[in-house]
């Protein structure tokens, strides 16, 4: 699909959910895509998006390489997000990241806070909530509050929650999104990164502020 088509779907979902136009922002998931594909599918149409354009990657080295290469091109302003599992020896690649969506452990809070001192800046972060099904990643609901407080004490700017819904079951996805929104409200956090190509409509209905779209945009 083109960016325009994806954006019209997003606007339609906002309207159907009774939410103001533009209350949900598109994060273009560029993992596995070449810079040329990013230019053709996203940046060529950057006028349709708020600036800076948000691009998300899930692997440290790929992110670092793309950031470097992008700096040699005349791109409109972009900001990079990280949506992959955080690994200790790869945090060093995240220096240019604006928002980490996948904070899920105490050691990660400490490692990012420490790296941020060296960088002279700290990325903002979201805590990834476990989705209740068999899943490797995410914080258990009862661990959210302690981890949130630890992150804030470590100086991190925690803005909200991220979740990945179970695949292939829209009703289950919607329940997980609703639950995630409730936890964010409990913590007083406003940012909700939820919804991907197959379930972003449900996510918009449940209050997503960021949807992470890959395949629908690039395939
Ligand atoms: C790949 C990925 C996406 C995008 O998924 P699509 O189904 O391609 O839209 C979103 N979030 C995370 C964490 C991902 O790894």
């Amino acid at each position: 699909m083109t960016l325009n088509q994806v954006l019209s779907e997003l606007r339609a979902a906002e309207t159907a959910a009774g939410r103001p136009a533009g209350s949900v922002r598109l994060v273009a998931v560029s993992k596995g895509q070449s810079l040329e594909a990013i230019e053709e599918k996203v940046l060529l149409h950057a006028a349709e998006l708020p600036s800076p354009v948000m691009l998300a990657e899930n692997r440290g080295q790929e992110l670092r390489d793309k950031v470097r290469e992008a700096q040699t091109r005349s791109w409109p302003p972009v900001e990079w997000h990280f949506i992959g599992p955080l690994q200790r020896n790869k945090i060093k690649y995240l220096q240019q990241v604006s928002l980490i969506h996948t904070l899920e452990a105490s050691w990660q809070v400490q490692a990012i806070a420490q790296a941020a001192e060296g960088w002279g800046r700290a990325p903002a972060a979201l805590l990834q909530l476990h989705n209740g099904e068999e899943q490797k990643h995410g914080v258990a609901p009862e661990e959210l509050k302690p981890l949130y407080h630890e992150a804030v004490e470590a100086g991190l700017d925690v803005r909200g929650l991220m979740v990945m819904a179970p695949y292939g079951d829209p009703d289950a996805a919607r329940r997980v999104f609703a639950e995630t929104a409730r936890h964010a409200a409990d913590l007083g956090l406003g940012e909700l990164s939820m919804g991907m190509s197959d379930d972003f409509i449900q996510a918009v209905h449940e209050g997503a502020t960021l949807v992470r779209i890959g395949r629908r945009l690039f395939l």
Side-chain angles (χ1 to χ4, degrees):
M1 273 196 191
T2 66
L3 177 72
N4 263 313
Q5 289 169 318
V6 172
L7 285 174
S8 350
E9 289 183 336
L10 191 55
R11 298 289 93 95
E14 286 173 333
T15 304
R19 300 183 55 194
S23 50
V24 187
R25 285 161 300 146
L26 175 80
V27 179
V29 176
S30 51
K31 66 184 186 197
Q33 303 295 337
S34 65
L35 294 197
E36 290 70 28
I38 298 172
E39 289 168 352
E40 182 196 323
K41 296 285 192 176
V42 184
L43 300 179
L44 206 57
H45 320 281
E48 308 298 325
L49 293 169
S51 177
V53 173
M54 295 182 278
L55 299 174
E57 293 287 330
N58 70 340
R59 288 164 183 271
Q61 277 117 316
E62 184 178 343
L63 171 80
R64 177 202 55 190
D65 294 345
K66 278 182 174 160
V67 170
R68 273 190 195 155
E69 181 62 26
Q71 281 162 353
T72 71
R73 304 188 176 205
S74 44
W75 277 16
V78 299
E79 69 177 39
W80 296 92
H81 291 198
F82 191 74
I83 59 170
L86 290 162
Q87 293 173 268
R88 196 178 287 280
N89 55 345
K90 309 244 165 111
I91 286 175
K92 58 177 182 276
Y93 300 132
L94 306 186
Q95 179 163 7
Q96 312 296 335
V97 167
S98 300
L99 182 66
I100 295 174
H101 292 232
T102 44
L103 196 55
E104 56 170 335
S106 173
W107 73 260
Q108 297 170 347
V109 166
Q110 298 309 326
I112 290 165
Q114 198 185 350
E117 269 180 47
W119 297 336
R121 63 174 286 280
L126 308 176
L127 303 179
Q128 180 175 357
L129 180 63
H130 192 267
N131 73 15
E133 307 237 324
E134 275 184 46
Q135 191 194 30
K136 258 201 329 223
H137 292 286
V139 188
E142 62 274 18
E143 300 294 332
L144 269 180
K145 199 170 260 178
L147 188 63
Y148 170 65
H149 288 299
E150 181 178 351
V152 170
E153 265 162 46
L156 299 187
D157 175 14
V158 180
R159 304 214 172 137
L161 302 182
M162 179 275 214
V163 79
M164 291 183 70
Y167 281 107
D169 183 346
D171 293 334
R174 191 152 174 176
R175 281 194 298 276
V176 165
F177 295 145
E179 187 80 346
T180 305
R182 206 171 51 71
H183 285 295
D186 282 349
L187 293 168
L189 295 173
E191 201 81 272
L192 279 172
S193 167
M194 49 191 205
M196 312 182 2
S197 289
D198 293 335
D199 56 18
F200 73 93
I201 292 177
Q202 286 81 5
V204 169
H205 275 275
E206 297 303 336
T209 58
L210 297 170
V211 290
R212 310 178 307 271
I213 309 282
R215 285 170 302 135
R216 206 168 187 82
L217 198 50
F218 284 98
L219 297 187

